[in-house]
Amino acid sequence: MSNVYGKWLKAQREAAGLTQQELADLAIMTRSHIAHIEAGRRIPSLEDARRLDRALGTGDVLQSFLPQVDDTIADYFETARQLEQQATMIREFASSFVPGILQTERYARAVLGTTFPPRSEEERDRHVATRIERSRILADPVMPVVWALLDEMVLRRPIGGPEVMAEQIAHLIHLVEKDRVRVHVLPVSLGVHPLMQGMLTLMWFEDQPPAAYSEGVSIGKLHDSPSVVQRLQGVYDLALGDALPLKESLTLMRAIAKEHGHHE
């Protein structure tokens, strides 16, 4: 994003005689989040902008002049999407759907067709295009480094039908076989595991601290508090330790893809 917004925020904070920590306390945010906004690395959510306006007494300026965002991206995911494009390493966990950056077009179309209220065909096309655009970060043969930790049910649930699922799993297998992505599967036989409650994305960067993004039903949260991010990294590592090794995960993916193929 342009840094005009961040520079204006910094100027208003300094004019008010506030440190980043003091503004963070007034706006109920973290100091690191304030620092990233001022540096132009992140866009505040609408609610964050409202709290900043209240803290600085700037009326509705910060909320009214938020940088333009893509309306095919949920408000709560927009900042995480921007960070996703900057990350040098991404680790994903999913319990329901294949992570967005790893989805095929037909799979994405099936996932995006489950919304309420329903989208028109034109709206769905736009959302699918946005999701596929996110996956272009994988066009670089090396960066970002991507690991995906998938609950086995992500592979078995026939989203879009058997043919679409077989194609989606084949795409994952292809990415693994060409050493672009690592995929580890948490088998159903494991039972309970520490990441069952939702989805999680961990991100690392070249020039800023790591961040995490968690998501549930129609809600998502970006985490940049070092202690929270470290805890989520620990939970991820704990679950990864219970997952199948890469080769065994590949074997299972091939078997499940074959099962889907037999139902075509």
Side-chain angles (χ1 to χ4, degrees):
M1 70 185 230
S2 167
N3 202 22
V4 172
Y5 188 91
K7 286 180 177 177
W8 194 87
L9 171 61
K10 181 179 180 181
Q12 296 306 304
R13 174 180 61 77
E14 291 178 341
L18 298 173
T19 65
Q20 288 181 340
Q21 186 60 61
E22 287 169 339
L23 177 57
D25 292 341
L26 288 171
I28 318 174
M29 298 167 65
T30 64
R31 187 208 62 78
S32 59
H33 193 24
I34 299 289
H36 291 321
I37 295 170
E38 290 186 352
R41 291 190 292 262
R42 298 187 186 173
I43 297 174
S45 67
L46 180 58
E47 182 54 37
D48 284 344
R50 286 173 178 155
R51 290 200 297 267
L52 287 168
D53 271 329
R54 288 196 294 268
L56 291 168
T58 48
D60 62 356
V61 175
L62 286 162
Q63 54 194 294
S64 296
F65 291 96
L66 278 170
Q68 188 68 37
V69 295
D70 188 338
D71 66 0
T72 62
I73 299 292
D75 290 344
Y76 54 78
F77 181 63
E78 174 59 29
T79 304
R81 182 190 69 85
Q82 294 202 18
L83 290 177
E84 179 183 77
Q85 302 300 306
Q86 303 168 28
T88 57
M89 178 182 291
I90 298 173
R91 295 186 183 180
E92 298 269 17
F93 165 72
S95 60
S96 300
F97 302 117
V98 172
I101 60 174
L102 302 177
Q103 292 180 7
T104 64
E105 182 174 345
R106 291 204 296 171
Y107 183 92
R109 186 172 298 279
V111 170
L112 292 167
T114 62
T115 57
F116 183 85
R119 295 188 178 107
S120 68
E121 192 66 27
E122 180 181 353
E123 286 179 303
R124 194 185 306 182
D125 287 345
R126 290 173 54 238
H127 282 261
V128 170
T130 297
R131 182 152 302 182
I132 298 306
E133 181 63 30
R134 286 174 53 204
S135 70
R136 298 195 191 286
I137 61 174
L138 298 177
D140 185 297
V142 178
M143 300 294 285
V145 175
V146 177
W147 293 8
L149 179 59
L150 305 180
D151 190 289
E152 183 179 339
M153 288 309 299
V154 171
L155 305 173
R156 293 198 176 278
R157 186 174 290 107
I159 293 173
E163 182 181 346
V164 170
M165 278 307 303
E167 178 186 69
Q168 175 62 70
I169 297 172
H171 177 61
L172 294 174
I173 292 170
H174 173 69
L175 290 172
V176 173
E177 289 179 335
K178 70 174 189 176
D179 296 325
R180 185 59 189 86
V181 171
R182 290 183 68 92
V183 176
H184 293 272
V185 180
L186 281 162
V188 172
S189 60
L190 178 64
V192 67
H193 61 77
L195 287 174
M196 288 186 70
Q197 296 181 11
M199 63 80 64
L200 177 66
T201 302
L202 303 173
M203 294 172 281
W204 286 260
F205 310 90
E206 185 175 329
D207 59 353
Q208 56 182 302
Y213 173 77
S214 59
E215 188 171 296
V217 178
S218 297
I219 188 169
K221 182 173 179 57
L222 182 70
H223 308 273
D224 57 8
S225 166
S227 61
V228 173
V229 173
Q230 185 176 33
R231 178 173 60 81
L232 291 173
Q233 289 171 348
V235 172
Y236 187 98
D237 289 343
L238 189 63
L240 183 61
D242 288 331
L244 297 176
L246 184 65
K247 289 185 178 179
E248 291 181 28
S249 295
L250 263 177
T251 298
L252 181 59
M253 285 193 289
R254 291 189 183 107
I256 295 174
K258 188 175 182 180
E259 291 173 14
H260 285 300
H262 284 167
H263 286 84
E264 291 180 18

